Amino acid sequence: MTQIQRARDGEITPAMERVAEREERDPEFVREQVAGGQAVIPNNHAHDSLDPMIIGREFSTKVNANIGNSETTSDLDAELRKLHAAVHYGADTVMDLSTGERLDETRAANVAYSPVPVGTVPIYEAVKRADDPADITHELLLDVIEKQAEQGVDYMTIHAGVLMEHLPLTDGRKTGIVSRGGSILAQWIEENGMQNPLYAEFEEICEIFAEHDVTVSLGDGLRPGCLADASDEAQFAELETLGELTRVAWDHGVQVMVEGPGHVPMDEIGDNVDRQQAVCDGAPFYVLGPLVTDVAPGYDHITSAIGATEAARAGAAMLCYVTPKEHLGLPNAEDVRDGLAAYRIAAHAADVANGLPGARDWDDALSEARYEFDWERQFDLALDPERARAYHDQTLPGDNYKEARFCSMCGAEFCSMRIDQDARDADGEMASIDGDTDLDASDAAAVNLPPVGTHDASGVPDEIEIGGVTFTPETPHADD
């Protein structure tokens, strides 16, 4: 049975117990949220190395990292390094979006070595297996989906909401259809003169997902690819279909989340979240960004993190990160690091703004360490401790500067905190300041406490054999 079926039956599963522990929530509340479809626990029966997590607007905001190879880059070692970087720097899930060679091996390795849920987009493999996208058959799609479910994939993006009648609505756009899955299916519909096969076979897909407890992530194949196309008729027509499919999946005992737009002006983000929650009966919203401006190639981890913060504040449950390479090239491990830093900031900032229990304790603890010039504690509490230390040590590398009451920004004479401390220590009316935030006693969820990327990796194997080659990569968790 799936998590939602067991929750409906009143059962609190081991996965729900683990989620309750990580979220500092009552297990019964977790069960109720899963039973009602307002939260999902992606948890394929065959993913042995998984440390369960939950996605829902009543819980801490989660972050997904897209990884995977391309037609020009197909290095399995590099993909495992990206997986390691993603989990180490705080990804709550990863999506293997590989479109190059060795798809089966790459997917198997990611599932085996990932303590976080792994997602895929099966239409990509279907395209690789067909001579031409137009030659994809219903049987091929179901075969690919079932195989990936058997491999242990926890959730799959299914672009079943792109319908034949929606395609004319995209004709006036500036950037047309920018979703890879959406564009492939639009081409298939045009060339075959038939309805979207993923829509036609959706109930059969749900039966496969129910057998393996794969969460369906309803893809937004007609999402806007620029600000000019945001919140248009095509986007919202597809959303109405996704609401219909949400209820079909629930009827089959399948967990559901719904994917959301990638380019949206800041003032329209809240309305987009509210609309999805209403149309899809509160199913978790999983958004890409959104990017709030189109003018910054090379910095789209920033343009999108701004939108992601606003989306999460409005109720989006999971944010799909964007790296500096977005629109420009395939990200490497360092790009994964930069993208995750931007999105962990966005998720945490939204949780603080939304008043999640204990979320601000981390901020308060670091502020206290900063005021006390406790440099080592500042580094330890930083979102990315290695980078914080490296930036400090670029100008003041000596150990003696770890005791200094200044940094290289202001120097000793003009350091405002040093001046304030001295004034408070002197005779006068200003009271001394004592920092007393106890993170060990905080009721914050694990993702809102340092260090990021802490997952139980006890189920991750030391080595696996793939295609006759034995792999022993770094164990992908923050304790390395």
Side-chain angles (χ1 to χ4, degrees):
M1 295 176 67
T2 65
Q3 293 292 321
I4 190 172
Q5 289 171 329
R6 296 167 73 179
R8 288 169 177 169
D9 286 349
E11 179 184 356
I12 296 174
T13 66
M16 295 173 202
E17 291 277 7
R18 173 58 176 156
V19 162
E21 175 188 358
R22 297 179 69 180
E23 297 284 331
E24 292 283 350
R25 295 296 186 93
D26 181 63
E28 175 59 20
F29 178 72
V30 173
R31 186 199 66 77
E32 291 172 354
Q33 287 287 300
V34 174
Q38 280 69 60
V40 298
I41 302 176
N43 189 8
N44 188 311
H45 303 316
H47 190 170
D48 296 331
S49 60
L50 182 68
D51 186 15
M53 51 78 71
I54 194 165
I55 302 166
R57 69 177 297 163
E58 296 298 324
F59 301 94
S60 56
T61 305
K62 303 306 188 300
V63 175
N64 170 69
N66 288 340
I67 59 175
N69 64 28
S70 72
E71 290 187 353
T72 60
T73 305
S74 300
D75 182 340
L76 185 52
D77 284 317
E79 289 309 310
L80 289 174
R81 285 193 295 272
K82 280 193 278 186
L83 169 66
H84 182 274
V87 178
H88 181 83
Y89 291 109
D92 298 295
T93 76
V94 295
M95 288 201 77
D96 179 2
L97 304 186
S98 295
T99 57
E101 302 302 319
R102 305 180 70 187
L103 295 183
D104 278 345
E105 292 93 333
T106 301
R107 189 182 312 112
N110 282 331
V111 170
Y113 280 110
S114 178
V116 303
V118 174
T120 61
V121 185
I123 190 69
Y124 298 167
E125 182 177 355
V127 169
K128 295 288 289 186
R129 288 173 58 176
D131 293 331
D132 182 274
D135 294 333
I136 295 172
T137 65
H138 292 215
E139 292 74 21
L140 173 59
L141 282 169
L142 293 173
D143 181 62
V144 168
I145 289 168
E146 185 163 27
K147 181 191 67 175
Q148 292 192 8
E150 291 171 349
Q151 284 183 300
V153 171
D154 300 288
Y155 66 98
M156 296 187 205
T157 294
I158 303 296
H159 297 93
V162 180
L163 301 187
M164 180 183 295
E165 53 267 37
H166 297 159
L167 301 187
L169 303 177
T170 68
D171 289 346
R173 285 181 159 188
K174 284 188 180 296
T175 55
I177 300 174
V178 299
S179 159
R180 290 195 297 200
S183 64
I184 291 165
L185 287 161
Q187 177 187 357
W188 190 97
I189 292 169
E190 287 288 335
E191 295 193 16
N192 288 279
M194 298 169 61
Q195 189 56 278
N196 181 346
L198 292 174
Y199 181 81
E201 299 290 349
F202 190 71
E203 293 202 56
E204 182 71 22
I205 292 169
C206 286
E207 290 179 11
I208 295 171
F209 284 1
E211 180 181 353
H212 300 274
D213 200 358
V214 175
T215 297
V216 61
S217 187
L218 292 172
D220 53 339
L222 301 182
R223 67 175 178 267
C226 63
L227 299 190
D229 296 341
S231 305
D232 70 353
E233 194 176 358
Q235 177 192 333
F236 290 151
E238 181 186 26
L239 180 61
E240 291 294 329
T241 303
L242 298 186
E244 168 200 331
L245 295 174
T246 294
R247 291 178 280 277
V248 172
W250 281 342
D251 287 344
H252 284 77
V254 173
Q255 301 185 90
V256 181
M257 56 184 173
V258 178
E259 298 185 14
H263 294 247
V264 181
M266 178 79 85
D267 59 304
E268 296 179 16
I269 292 174
D271 290 342
N272 269 260
V273 175
D274 291 344
R275 182 186 287 255
Q276 180 276 335
Q277 288 289 275
V279 170
C280 301
D281 297 334
F285 201 22
Y286 166 30
V287 296
L288 174 66
L291 285 72
V292 296
T293 180
D294 298 330
V295 301
Y299 299 93
D300 279 335
H301 60 311
I302 298 173
T303 65
S304 62
I306 293 169
T309 307
E310 179 66 10
R313 191 196 63 78
M318 186 160 75
L319 310 173
C320 183
Y321 88 156
V322 172
T323 77
K325 290 275 183 64
E326 187 76 8
H327 304 112
L328 301 172
L330 186 71
N332 59 25
E334 189 63 17
D335 299 317
V336 168
R337 176 183 186 177
D338 289 342
L340 275 165
Y343 272 71
R344 283 259 60 101
I345 293 166
H348 180 70
D351 287 348
V352 171
N354 286 334
L356 264 66
R360 212 189 70 188
D361 290 345
W362 186 1
D363 302 79
D364 291 347
L366 194 144
S367 297
E368 291 159 9
R370 178 174 290 147
Y371 185 78
E372 293 297 328
F373 297 101
D374 188 341
W375 294 104
E376 294 294 345
R377 181 156 175 76
Q378 279 192 69
F379 301 150
D380 289 343
L381 290 176
L383 183 82
D384 186 340
E386 296 93 342
R387 180 157 294 178
R389 181 184 294 275
Y391 280 4
H392 174 272
D393 289 357
Q394 281 179 1
T395 50
L396 298 174
D399 289 343
N400 57 308
Y401 290 114
K402 304 301 189 296
E403 307 291 332
R405 297 172 66 207
F406 63 89
C407 72
S408 62
M409 170 66 80
C410 299
E413 184 176 357
F414 288 97
C415 178
S416 59
M417 288 189 179
R418 195 272 307 160
I419 294 169
D420 184 76
Q421 282 185 3
D422 289 348
R424 292 178 187 279
D425 290 341
D427 291 336
E429 298 181 358
M430 296 176 68
S432 62
I433 297 175
D434 295 320
D436 58 0
T437 301
D438 182 2
L439 289 182
D440 291 335
S442 175
D443 55 357
V447 300
N448 283 318
L449 293 171
V452 301
T454 302
H455 305 275
D456 181 359
S458 60
V460 176
D462 294 329
E463 63 180 32
I464 59 171
E465 184 176 309
I466 300 174
V469 178
T470 299
F471 287 88
T472 56
E474 297 175 275
T475 304
H477 67 110
D479 295 334
D480 286 350

